[in-house]
Amino acid sequence: MIKSVVAVFSMFVFSFHLQARTLNEISASGILRVGVPGDYAPLAWHDAITGKLQGFEIDLANDFGKELKTRVEFVPTSWPELSRDLTSGQFDIAIGGITATPERAKMFSLSRAVLPNGKIALSHCKTSALYQDPDTIDRPGVRVVVNPGGTNQLFVEKNIRHAQIIRMENNLDTLQAIRNQTADVMFTDLLEGQYYHTTEPGTFCLTTNQPFQGTESSKVWMMNNNNPDLLRVVNAFLQKERLSSLAKKWNIQE
């Protein structure tokens, strides 16, 4: 009985310490904790050789930390665990390719738009001409690969009824399946598709040049909704001039 009480008390204390920090608490600590899955180029991903986080949103977060006069600590997370980790206070802000959705807006505070976006289809260039629209993709014999926990999974579950769905553990594995041609198509964001089309020509090709109708969206930063002061300073920081300058550095089409 005593052990049970101690265990419950320990869980309570642990949960208490993981509550969302206020802007004043973040400033006083000198550390801004930023959660990032780290598998979404060109916004936030690990260099294949050094393992170092890089990308448009990594630079943006470091600039934000300088503005707050804090050090930025990047906290690893994953798409399936992202919302739970943010809610539990593992980090103050979530970044790295987060799409604004009605579901996320109900649970969290979403920043103003960081970049415009939408869903496209990505395939190996050798076969991309076969998959020019949803009808030629969603048919028997086509292998659609997807990773869990994000809007790519939601799109596949809503729109794919006849093609084979191959589920991978993470976004990097889905890309590798296209490289290896063990899958035919992956649905992803226009931003990511353009990046791989540019950096690996002859391997990745966009089968559709424009986002599918009704999928137009924005990339945002996500915070707990009981932190209005943090949201306010984030939105003040995300000015068009700053975003445009970094977009040019990372060859992102706005």
Side-chain angles (χ1 to χ4, degrees), residues 21-29 227 229:
R21 300 188 300 165
T22 66
L23 179 61
N24 287 338
E25 289 170 335
I26 293 169
S27 298
S29 75
N227 210 341
D229 290 337

Side-chain angles (χ1 to χ4, degrees), residues 164-183:
Q164 177 189 357
I165 299 174
I166 302 172
R167 302 183 187 275
M168 291 293 187
E169 185 174 341
N170 57 60
N171 194 44
L172 298 178
D173 289 342
T174 64
L175 291 160
Q176 193 60 42
I178 299 297
R179 289 189 188 97
N180 297 341
Q181 294 187 269
T182 55

